[in-house]
Amino acid sequence: MPFGHDLCELRILNQYAMKSITRRKFVKASLTSSAALVVPLFVQADNLFPDEKTITPALQFTQLPLPYANNALEPSIDALTMEIHYGKHHSAYIKNVNDAIAAENISFASEKDFFSNTSKLSTKARNNGGGAWNHNFFWQVMKPGSSAPTGKVAEAINAAFGSTDKFKELFTQTAMTRFGSGWAWLVKDGNTLRVGSTPNQDNPLMDVSELKGTPLLALDVWEHAYYLKYQNKRNEYVANWWNVVNWDEVAKRLNS
Ligand code: MN
């Protein structure tokens, strides 16, 4: 069997079986692999060396693709801000949280578990984990050309806040009064909706957050989100941001 073929088989083994395979077991598989051996190893990997400690790979955060072009949210959000925000700030949060996960041996099964255990994490993991998740969320809840909330979202907003205008007023005020860097949120909390804000890169999924619930909508009010275009005028940024809210994504999260 040519060596290159073995490597190919091992990559397949690696891809599908590493979730619960041990390092020593993988080395054994590497040393003894042949076409005949690789398949049984793949099928029975967990049972071959039951005395060895299983290594669960650490959670990894992934930067989701931007669902539109950098200039798609113009003029509310300019292309250069989007390019730097997504390409530099967000990608740095992703890299840094994954570095922290590796350095600190953080092993949670899901992002949800990561955030419900934030109180046990380092500041680096907390800040960058929040930054990684919050921005993935933020890109999804925007789109070019917003419309008004309809259907169940409109009903829920009316029930909680009186009207869409009153909701917008409260959300805007919350975004404006978040001192320094942070986020404004609309969350589902039990049977009702709530508006609130978090400092830094905290989010309502974190056990350390005062505001808790399922995030439906978020607005980044860090200066990096608006300063190039709006400078100190956060109020204009927030006012124009309503033109790019993706209410379909809000509805999806409300119904999930
Ligand atoms: Mn940001």
Side-chain angles (χ1 to χ4, degrees):
M1 165 103 12
F3 186 59
H5 190 91
D6 269 6
L7 279 182
C8 176
E9 295 284 347
L10 282 167
R11 273 191 209 109
I12 294 166
L13 176 72
N14 187 14
Q15 187 179 350
Y16 290 101
M18 274 305 275
K19 280 204 167 168
S20 59
I21 200 169
T22 67
R23 285 194 208 288
R24 264 180 64 204
K25 199 186 301 175
F26 184 68
V27 170
K28 281 181 191 172
S30 308
L31 293 173
T32 57
S33 78
S34 69
L37 205 52
V38 164
V39 172
L41 270 175
F42 167 67
V43 174
Q44 301 175 24
D46 286 337
N47 303 323
L48 288 177
F49 308 101
D51 54 324
E52 291 179 16
K53 195 176 167 226
T54 297
I55 297 166
T56 307
L59 170 71
Q60 289 282 296
F61 282 82
T62 305
Q63 186 173 30
L64 298 180
L66 197 63
Y68 32 71
N70 281 332
N71 65 357
L73 305 183
E74 295 257 18
S76 297
I77 297 176
D78 61 292
L80 183 59
T81 295
M82 188 58 83
E83 189 185 320
I84 297 170
H85 200 175
Y86 179 83
K88 306 289 184 193
H89 291 280
H90 189 199
S91 63
Y93 294 127
I94 299 275
K95 181 190 179 298
N96 291 336
V97 69
N98 288 333
D99 286 352
I101 284 170
E104 299 167 32
N105 282 320
I106 299 168
S107 62
F108 291 115
S110 66
E111 293 174 353
K112 192 169 166 268
D113 286 350
F114 181 95
F115 291 122
S116 59
N117 288 284
T118 299
S119 54
K120 299 170 196 154
L121 301 178
S122 69
T123 305
K124 180 177 178 178
R126 170 178 174 170
N127 288 343
N128 289 285
W133 192 93
N134 295 352
H135 289 86
N136 272 339
F137 182 90
F138 185 47
W139 315 131
Q140 306 301 314
V141 295
M142 296 189 289
K143 69 166 193 179
S146 181
S147 49
T150 56
K152 284 186 179 168
V153 177
E155 282 169 32
I157 284 177
N158 291 342
F161 309 107
S163 68
T164 298
D165 283 347
K166 281 185 181 160
F167 157 69
K168 284 186 175 180
E169 206 178 295
L170 177 64
F171 191 98
T172 298
Q173 188 194 1
T174 303
M176 289 303 300
T177 52
R178 164 48 58 190
F179 186 77
S181 299
W183 292 76
W185 302 88
L186 171 67
V187 300
K188 179 168 69 171
D189 183 13
N191 288 326
T192 190
L193 303 186
R194 211 175 286 287
V195 163
S197 72
T198 54
N200 305 317
Q201 294 293 354
D202 285 359
N203 69 44
L205 300 173
M206 292 181 176
D207 63 347
V208 291
S209 178
E210 238 172 78
L211 175 73
K212 289 200 176 64
T214 304
L216 302 181
L217 182 62
L219 174 58
D220 187 344
V221 293
W222 281 59
E223 284 184 346
H224 70 222
Y226 62 87
Y227 210 84
L228 283 178
K229 182 181 169 75
Y230 296 97
Q231 294 84 48
N232 60 320
K233 300 178 286 273
R234 188 189 283 189
N235 59 325
E236 287 183 18
Y237 161 65
V238 177
N240 288 341
W241 173 74
W242 291 112
N243 297 325
V244 293
V245 170
N246 188 341
W247 289 107
D248 296 333
E249 289 294 324
V250 176
K252 220 188 273 178
R253 285 161 176 77
L254 178 68
N255 298 325
S256 67

